[in-house]
Structure formats: C-alpha cells, structure tokens
Amino acid sequence: SQKIEQNSEALNIQEGKTATLTCNYTNYSPAYLQWYRQDPGRGPVFLLLIRENEKEKRKERLKVTFDTTLKQSLFHITASQPADSATYLCALVRETDSWGKLQFGAGTQVVVTP
Amino acid sequence: DADVTQTPRNRITKTGKRIMLECSQTKGHDRMYWYRQDPGLGLRLIYYSFDVKDINKGEISDGYSVSRQAQAKFSLSLESAIPNQTALYFCATSDGGGPGNTIYFGEGSWLTVV
C-alpha cells in the first residue's frame, strides 16, 4: 500500500540554524511534490512545489530537494526564526491523478527557539 | 476576509444526527475539495468537484455526501454522524488542474461526534 512518511517527532532547533525535514514515500510514483505549512488551528498554506525531473527548488530561505531514486524529499529552512515554528506537511500528486487529489504525510512539527 | 470560508468552525453533535459543513470561496475557482485531518494521519480527500455538475469521490467518501450549490459553494454532509467521524475538516479550492494552480485551504471545521 502507498505510504508517505514524515518524522513524527518534533524538530527542536535553535534560531539561526538550518532545519531539515524528510518526506519518504513507498509504492508511489509522484509527478509533483509539494510542501505546506500549517499553524495550529489553521489550514495548510502552500510553500513550494517541485517536479519529478527537478532536483532542487528554492524560495527565499526555503529549499526543497527531490530524489526519485531514494523516494525522498528534503525540506530545508535556513537561518531559522521563531516565526518558522509550525507543522510542515509534504503532499504528493501522481501524473495520472486529478490536480487536488493530494496524498499528504502526517507532518513534522518544527519548534525554533530564540 | 478569508478567501475560503468554512462554517461552522466548531461543532459538537450526537451520534446519528445529520450535520452539514459549509464552504464558500471568493476566489472564483472552479475546483473545490473536502479533506479530513486526523491526529497522526495526513489529510485525506473525501470529495472533490471540478465544477457545479462534476462531483467525484475521493479516498474516504463512505458516510459522507456533498452538494455543489454554486461555483462558490460546496457543502459536506454527514448523513448519520458516528464518533469516528470526529476530525478536523478542510475545504480547499484551486483555479484549475496542474502545477501552476495553487491549492488554497480554508481555516477548518472542528467536528466532534459524541
């Protein structure tokens, strides 16, 4: 069966350091992988999308990599700030799926301390 | 004002009761979705609609029904609520299909079935 795994343990990190989150998947061939941010009691907010033929994508302090051989995406927050504290979700879409039929991981909570 | 508005934001209902969650959007998007989020699990797609006349089942549609009353409105009904439908429900929209179309989520509706 399809499985999308994110580290369930919270990532505690000091301000200024780089936070690295992992999204692993099995029995799945995504064409696109997305990362979302979710704050407590709020809906997910789209951050970045990376295609299967792209190795890396950047947006400001965020960087995403996508390794289809390892079936893994890494999400980096550089120079982390307390305002980056949230839960980060990865979501996958297959080429054959309708857009919006996202398969989500359970998310990893990031806590950035001053 | 939020682009994707869900009502109610919180509801406690009894087992066997019918409950409707409503979603309205001001983004003018054709596509609307209902997701469910449970602790430790990723968001799961319940139903999705590409336009007023096109409604499709998602991953976990059993026990739910939907109605697309207008382009801007998409409601989710639990015909006879049961305790394992206690969850956080999200409505989402997108302008179309494909990676150029961001998916926007509402703030969520907490539903507790007792």
Side-chain angles (χ1 to χ4, degrees):
Chain A
S1 61
Q2 299 166 4
K3 192 178 286 188
I4 300 167
E5 293 183 314
Q6 296 185 252
N7 197 334
S8 59
E9 287 187 22
L11 178 63
N12 291 284
I13 192 163
Q14 197 170 17
E15 184 176 8
K17 302 291 185 183
T18 296
T20 298
L21 308 179
T22 304
C23 176
N24 295 301
Y25 58 92
T26 55
N27 298 320
Y28 202 84
S29 297
Y32 310 99
L33 191 147
Q34 304 179 42
W35 284 88
Y36 288 79
R37 170 183 173 140
Q38 186 175 22
D39 291 288
R42 309 295 295 272
V45 175
F46 172 77
L47 296 175
L48 279 168
L49 176 146
I50 188 165
R51 292 170 170 77
E52 62 176 333
N53 60 355
E54 295 177 318
K55 296 292 186 188
E56 181 180 297
K57 205 76 169 283
R58 292 176 184 260
K59 178 182 176 183
E60 298 173 352
R61 294 183 295 108
L62 307 179
K63 184 178 84 170
V64 173
T65 63
F66 194 7
D67 189 325
T68 55
T69 301
L70 293 178
K71 296 186 182 295
Q72 181 181 80
S73 174
L74 299 179
F75 177 80
H76 305 272
I77 307 171
T78 59
S80 59
Q81 305 167 359
D84 295 325
S85 298
T87 295
Y88 293 86
L89 312 174
C90 68
L92 285 64
V93 183
R94 292 178 298 200
E95 191 69 55
T96 52
D97 281 337
S98 302
W99 190 249
K101 287 186 71 176
L102 304 173
Q103 297 285 337
F104 278 89
T108 298
Q109 183 184 15
V110 172
V111 179
V112 182
T113 52
Chain B
D1 289 339
D3 294 322
V4 183
T5 302
Q6 295 184 227
T7 56
R9 293 295 312 280
N10 291 283
R11 176 65 59 87
I12 300 174
T13 192
K14 293 185 178 180
T15 297
K17 293 291 188 182
R18 185 177 187 272
I19 180 83
M20 179 183 290
L21 307 179
E22 296 183 329
C23 176
S24 63
Q25 50 112 349
T26 58
K27 299 191 76 67
H29 290 169
D30 286 328
R31 299 183 176 214
M32 298 187 73
Y33 315 86
W34 275 104
Y35 279 88
R36 163 180 175 159
Q37 186 174 36
D38 297 275
L41 297 177
L43 282 79
R44 292 179 291 168
L45 184 63
I46 307 172
Y47 269 96
Y48 59 104
S49 170
F50 290 163
D51 64 38
V52 175
K53 295 181 180 179
D54 184 2
I55 293 177
N56 305 277
K57 292 182 178 180
E59 182 185 348
I60 54 163
S61 59
D62 287 347
Y64 302 94
S65 63
V66 291
S67 174
R68 185 83 184 266
Q69 300 96 322
Q71 186 204 34
K73 296 183 182 295
F74 192 36
S75 60
L76 175 72
S77 293
L78 286 67
E79 298 300 328
S80 180
I82 56 177
N84 75 0
Q85 292 179 310
T86 294
L88 179 56
Y89 290 86
F90 287 104
C91 175
T93 73
S94 69
D95 195 18
N101 295 283
T102 299
I103 298 170
Y104 297 89
F105 286 82
E107 297 290 274
S109 295
W110 280 100
L111 177 66
T112 303
V113 183
V114 298

